[in-house]
Amino acid sequence: MRPSALIAAAMAALCGLAACSLRGADAVCPGAAVREGVAVRVKAPLAQRAETATVTVCWDGRCRGSGPLGLMPSSVAVPQDCPDGPPEGVCGASASPTGDAHAFFDLKGLPSAPVEVAVVLRDDGGGKLFDRKAAVTPQGVDGRCPQPPHAAVVADGARLAPA
């Protein structure tokens, strides 16, 4: 068998295996790229003054904490007009700042049971701007697609709440 025919046969076999493993729309796993840990969103105007976030997560009598996490500006996608009318798919988008900020604490071993999350926000001089706690239940497997445990909290200046 020629090398090109061998490659074609191998590709056909692989494509057949892939097709057999898919089950139509049920095969799509929307959380396939979810990171294990805790996301922190800081709402404006607090976000304009906060430089870092320190996150501590406690469960079963043990706590795990992050070092100072740099806060990144948040944005949303804004659709762009299409020059030739509406296309069949997406034409384009641009990022628009929201005034909020965000950080993520990668944390392995997060349970799918309630945890206590504490967030301390500091300004660029190290001064404490915010120090609050919230009870959060991390999300996990949704039945079809395995997802690592993950949680999210929002700091709005007055309180810390599950997102």
Side-chain angles (χ1 to χ4, degrees):
M1 194 180 268
R2 292 181 305 174
S4 60
L6 207 66
I7 291 171
M11 293 300 289
L14 285 174
C15 290
L17 285 174
C20 289
S21 68
L22 296 178
R23 296 184 197 118
D26 291 316
V28 177
C29 290
V34 173
R35 290 168 64 187
E36 186 172 358
V38 178
V40 177
R41 187 174 81 181
V42 181
K43 303 279 283 181
L46 178 59
Q48 280 71 49
R49 299 187 344 255
E51 208 48 47
T52 63
T54 302
V55 181
T56 304
V57 183
C58 301
W59 72 92
D60 291 338
R62 295 186 338 165
C63 296
R64 295 180 177 107
S66 72
L69 303 169
L71 291 168
M72 304 295 295
S74 297
S75 61
V76 295
V78 177
Q80 293 179 331
D81 291 333
C82 298
D84 298 327
E88 294 296 318
V90 174
C91 185
S94 64
S96 178
T98 63
D100 295 349
H102 65 275
F104 194 87
F105 174 34
D106 287 297
L107 180 59
K108 299 289 183 197
L110 196 61
S112 294
V115 298
E116 182 179 76
V117 176
V119 174
V120 175
L121 301 175
R122 295 188 181 275
D123 63 20
D124 60 358
K128 191 183 292 185
L129 299 172
F130 181 91
D131 186 352
R132 302 281 190 284
K133 295 178 182 178
V136 180
T137 301
Q139 302 293 310
V141 176
D142 74 358
R144 285 188 335 234
C145 303
Q147 298 177 0
H150 56 282
V153 293
V154 178
D156 68 5
R159 66 187 189 109
L160 184 68

